[in-house]
Amino acid sequence: MRVQGATRFILLSEIVFPFVLLILGVLLGLFQVLARAGILRTDGILGIEYYQGLTLHGTINAIVFTTFFIVGFSNALMMHQLGRPLRLPVQWLSWLLMVVGTLMAAFAMLTGRATVLYTFYPPLTAHWSFYVGVVLLVVGSLLPFFLDWTPSVLAWRRENPTARLPLAVMGVMVTFFLWFVMIIPVAIEILFFLLPVSLGWRETFNPLLTRTLFWFFGHPLVYFWLLPSYIMLYTMLPRLVGGKLYSDAAARLAFLLFLIFSVPVGLHHQYTEGGLTAGWKLWHAFLTFMVALPSFITAFTVAASMEHGARQQGGQGLFGWWAKLPYFSREGDRWLFAYFINGLILFLFGGITGIINASYNHNLVVHNTAFIAGHFHTTVGGLVTLSFLGVSLYMVARLRGTEVQLKGAALWAPYLWMIGFLLFEIAMSVAGFQGVPRRTNMGLSYTDPQSDLYRPDWLMNMQISALGGVIAVIGFVLFMLSFFATLLARPVREPAVEFPMSEALHEEPVALVHNYRPWVAVMVLLIAFSYWAPLYDAAVRGIKAESPAYNERFPVPLKELQTEVRR
Ligand code: HAS
């Protein structure tokens, strides 16, 4: 489908703008890993203090890059699949809100007014511009769903009353419906608690209640990141390996299971917090195991699709077909496979560590340790980032009408990223079992031989994780070279919105995966049942647990500090 003018500008900028920010995010990641290994012994770099850098690293990489990419990718996919143009007034408004919101939050973080980490845990308090920026980014990201894609899907349905909704379209609609639902608790947290305290309209907030509201949003957030990768695995990967999607119904079932199980699991981030009852934590633990189910379905369906494709290419034997996959192919679009397969390898580790985190008793060993950072660098930093990077490069080439440049660099990049983060993950997991904390500038404490806190037994794993980080960053630099060379190359064809879409091998007649109402009803009931008691506990007990605002530089209530300064 040809694309030009404002539509092309919007789509391209939704990919390029966050990528440019990601460069800063990745460099700050390198700083973290070197500081933790004691290779850098400083409380900051380039004028950016350690926790300020950690806030920028988490917020840019996990919130800004992902949200922009997901909106840009979904916009392009909806155009391509429904064959309809985007509604430009809606798209401009969405773009403007997202850009302004990002710049506001960036201003607050870069000027040291919002060193609250990407989880903005109260009682840490940021400047109001950080919260307003986040709200604008989120509102902007939702506009296309309500005002562009939903009307387009309804119009498509009227024209095609008996056809199945294309799988990619269904995936996007599930992702954004989930996004809308999970935004509600965090919007309450920001608008009723964090923002009023930050503006001085309220003196205190209840940390337990606000944290419970945050994780009500914070865990489903990871599936907002993951589902676009699953859309790619189901609809594009089979074509790249020369085959077909093994089962259409399995893919749809996986999306619908995410719809019902993604949200009511947030207490697995709060197992160690007092004030919430053990029974409800156990219930959330049980549902967390349920939300792993659609990922298991995905693992088997994707493996079956790869096997089908490899056998079409002459692959034989129980394991021999693995050799027929296009690991290093430069032919056509097949280079993209390297991003998916390396992401999948990392996600095997991400899945196993996630299940360890979810286990109530194991979590007590790993919570707040380096183990958690290992886990999320193989999930959001693994499959999600690699698939987003690969498809960003693909989209930039198509939208600019250029060929992918420096294909060798683009092909090696995901392998280096995978090797780097595998090393990082293993070292951080072992370190986590040793008790190494997360979110700590260890170069000034545990890995500094001059410090009383020095722990020589922790050093080796921190150094291995630093080596992993360096290898991954080299992969990123190779990717960056190919990305900018492709962006700036001379166009050789008409700019277009295109994707390598696969057909399904089996299209089973399962009515339940085409009727969304029962799933939405179960989703609402499950959320209401799983959260009424924890919220009641947190809100009622919270009356005694109100806390004044703090910030990371002044771990005394800000109000007292202001009084002190005035005196
Ligand atoms: Fe998680 C903490 C549990 C998935 C991200 N998670 C985090 C944090 C982040 C995060 C960012 O229960 C830190 C938050 C913070 O700052 O405090 N997580 C899980 C579970 C899953 C899970 C059960 N997480 C994710 C995904 C993320 C993500 C996805 C980002 C995208 N996580 C937790 C828990 C915590 C947590 C606790 C809190 C810990 C604490 O104490 O603080 C599941 O959804 C995982 C299911 C996945 C699978 C894997 C399926 C495998 C596939 C690959 C197949 C490969 C093939 C190729 C076919 C079951 C699909 C093979 C090829 C070869 C060549 C071998």
Side-chain angles (χ1 to χ4, degrees):
M1 186 176 185
R2 281 189 56 198
V3 61
Q4 50 193 338
T7 306
R8 186 166 85 121
F9 172 81
I10 289 170
L11 292 178
L12 253 179
S13 57
E14 283 171 350
I15 302 298
V16 177
F17 174 67
F19 182 73
V20 172
L21 290 177
L22 186 67
I23 297 172
L24 175 65
V26 168
L27 287 179
L28 288 168
L30 182 64
F31 165 55
Q32 310 291 325
V33 89
L34 296 176
R36 286 176 59 90
I39 297 167
L40 282 180
R41 290 211 178 89
T42 164
D43 64 354
I45 196 162
L46 303 173
I48 296 177
E49 184 267 335
Y50 182 86
Y51 286 102
Q52 192 184 1
L54 189 53
T55 306
L56 280 158
H57 174 67
T59 311
I60 292 176
N61 297 10
I63 310 276
V64 177
F65 168 67
T66 51
T67 307
F68 264 91
F69 173 83
I70 294 168
V71 171
F73 169 66
S74 305
N75 266 332
L77 204 56
M78 294 304 258
M79 268 181 86
H80 181 256
Q81 291 290 283
L82 298 175
R84 284 164 198 278
L86 296 177
R87 289 170 168 77
L88 281 177
V90 176
Q91 294 295 338
W92 274 123
L93 185 60
S94 148
W95 184 90
L96 204 67
L97 289 176
M98 294 203 303
V99 172
V100 171
T102 302
L103 294 178
M104 282 177 76
F107 160 80
M109 289 184 286
L110 284 168
T111 54
R113 291 178 168 88
T115 301
V116 289
L117 308 184
Y118 86 108
T119 39
F120 43 88
Y121 261 8
L124 285 176
T125 308
H127 189 257
W128 61 265
S129 54
F130 176 80
Y131 302 121
V132 173
V134 171
V135 169
L136 294 184
L137 173 67
V138 166
V139 171
S141 72
L142 273 171
L143 287 184
F145 170 63
F146 283 113
L147 303 178
D148 192 339
W149 311 332
T150 303
S152 291
V153 168
L154 293 176
W156 181 91
R157 174 54 71 217
R158 278 193 297 276
E159 285 166 22
N160 304 276
T162 53
R164 291 176 170 192
L165 195 63
L167 179 59
V169 175
M170 182 214 172
V172 170
M173 296 306 276
V174 169
T175 307
F176 274 82
F177 184 66
L178 201 55
W179 182 226
F180 164 63
V181 172
M182 75 181 82
I183 292 303
I184 298 169
V186 80
I188 295 174
E189 183 199 2
I190 294 180
L191 298 178
F192 291 97
F193 299 100
L194 304 188
L195 202 51
V197 170
S198 171
L199 287 166
W201 298 344
R202 245 185 105 116
E203 294 212 342
T204 57
F205 34 39
N206 168 348
L208 181 61
L209 177 61
T210 42
R211 279 217 282 263
T212 307
L213 288 168
F214 180 84
W215 287 118
F216 197 152
F217 152 82
H219 195 80
L221 171 67
V222 313
Y223 300 115
F224 175 64
W225 303 330
L226 185 69
L227 291 194
S229 302
Y230 278 12
I231 295 174
M232 297 167 195
L233 294 179
Y234 283 127
T235 64
M236 297 171 197
L237 182 139
R239 167 88 173 266
L240 298 174
V241 297
K244 293 184 177 179
L245 168 63
Y246 192 75
S247 163
D248 177 83
R252 289 176 197 263
L253 178 66
F255 286 129
L256 292 166
L257 288 172
F258 275 117
L259 196 62
I260 59 175
F261 290 123
S262 290
V263 184
V265 296
L267 292 200
H268 71 220
H269 290 264
Q270 298 177 278
Y271 288 149
T272 54
E273 283 195 40
L276 299 166
T277 16
W280 286 104
K281 290 179 183 170
L282 194 63
W283 172 246
H284 281 233
F286 171 71
L287 292 181
T288 307
F289 289 118
M290 295 305 290
V291 79
L293 197 65
S295 287
F296 280 118
I297 293 177
T298 305
F300 287 110
T301 312
V302 168
S305 308
M306 289 199 292
E307 177 175 354
H308 172 257
R311 290 198 189 282
Q312 300 303 304
Q313 311 304 312
Q316 285 181 349
L318 195 55
F319 297 110
W321 59 268
W322 283 98
K324 288 286 175 189
L325 292 172
Y327 301 103
F328 285 99
S329 175
R330 290 170 181 237
E331 190 195 321
D333 299 329
R334 298 181 115 205
W335 58 269
L336 195 49
F337 176 76
Y339 287 79
F340 294 143
I341 190 71
N342 285 296
L344 282 167
I345 294 170
L346 283 176
F347 198 54
L348 279 174
F349 290 79
I352 295 165
T353 49
I355 288 166
I356 293 174
N357 292 341
S359 310
Y360 205 159
N361 48 356
H362 290 171
N363 183 273
L364 301 179
V365 178
V366 297
H367 181 65
N368 268 346
T369 70
F371 189 92
I372 306 300
H375 163 66
F376 63 72
H377 282 85
T378 48
T379 49
V380 64
L383 175 62
V384 170
T385 304
L386 278 180
S387 58
F388 287 14
L389 288 181
V391 171
S392 292
L393 182 58
Y394 179 92
M395 284 179 64
V396 162
R398 288 301 197 275
L399 288 167
R400 286 273 300 118
T402 55
E403 291 292 347
V404 171
Q405 305 291 305
L406 306 177
K407 248 189 194 169
L411 261 176
W412 272 102
Y415 287 96
L416 289 173
W417 188 269
M418 184 272 288
I419 292 167
F421 276 123
L422 212 52
L423 268 180
F424 179 88
E425 147 60 20
I426 293 167
M428 294 290 270
S429 286
V430 177
F433 292 139
Q434 292 177 316
V436 173
R438 65 185 285 203
R439 294 177 157 171
T440 306
N441 186 353
M442 294 173 53
L444 297 183
S445 52
Y446 304 112
T447 52
D448 177 6
Q450 310 304 322
S451 164
D452 291 343
L453 296 169
Y454 182 50
R455 290 291 302 260
D457 52 327
W458 289 357
L459 197 58
M460 188 180 82
N461 282 312
M462 288 303 96
Q463 288 173 341
I464 297 175
S465 69
L467 175 66
V470 170
I471 295 174
V473 171
I474 296 173
F476 183 78
V477 171
L478 291 185
F479 177 84
M480 201 168 73
L481 294 175
S482 170
F483 184 89
F484 284 118
T486 306
L487 181 68
L488 302 173
R490 190 196 296 263
V492 289
R493 57 172 170 241
E494 288 283 323
V497 165
E498 267 173 25
F499 292 103
M501 302 305 282
S502 319
E503 289 170 26
L505 185 62
H506 301 289
E507 292 207 42
E508 307 86 343
V510 185
L512 193 59
V513 296
H514 298 284
N515 179 6
Y516 309 128
R517 284 202 184 98
W519 297 92
V520 173
V522 174
M523 176 199 201
V524 173
L525 288 175
L526 211 51
I527 294 175
F529 177 72
S530 306
Y531 262 112
W532 74 267
L535 285 177
Y536 178 77
D537 278 353
V540 173
R541 288 169 198 228
I543 293 168
K544 295 195 199 97
E546 289 284 316
S547 163
Y550 289 64
N551 77 21
E552 111 323 316
R553 268 163 215 262
F554 306 112
V556 290
L558 289 180
K559 200 154 174 58
E560 278 176 26
L561 188 82
Q562 281 153 5
T563 322
E564 195 67 26
V565 170
R566 253 182 258 124
R567 248 191 255 136

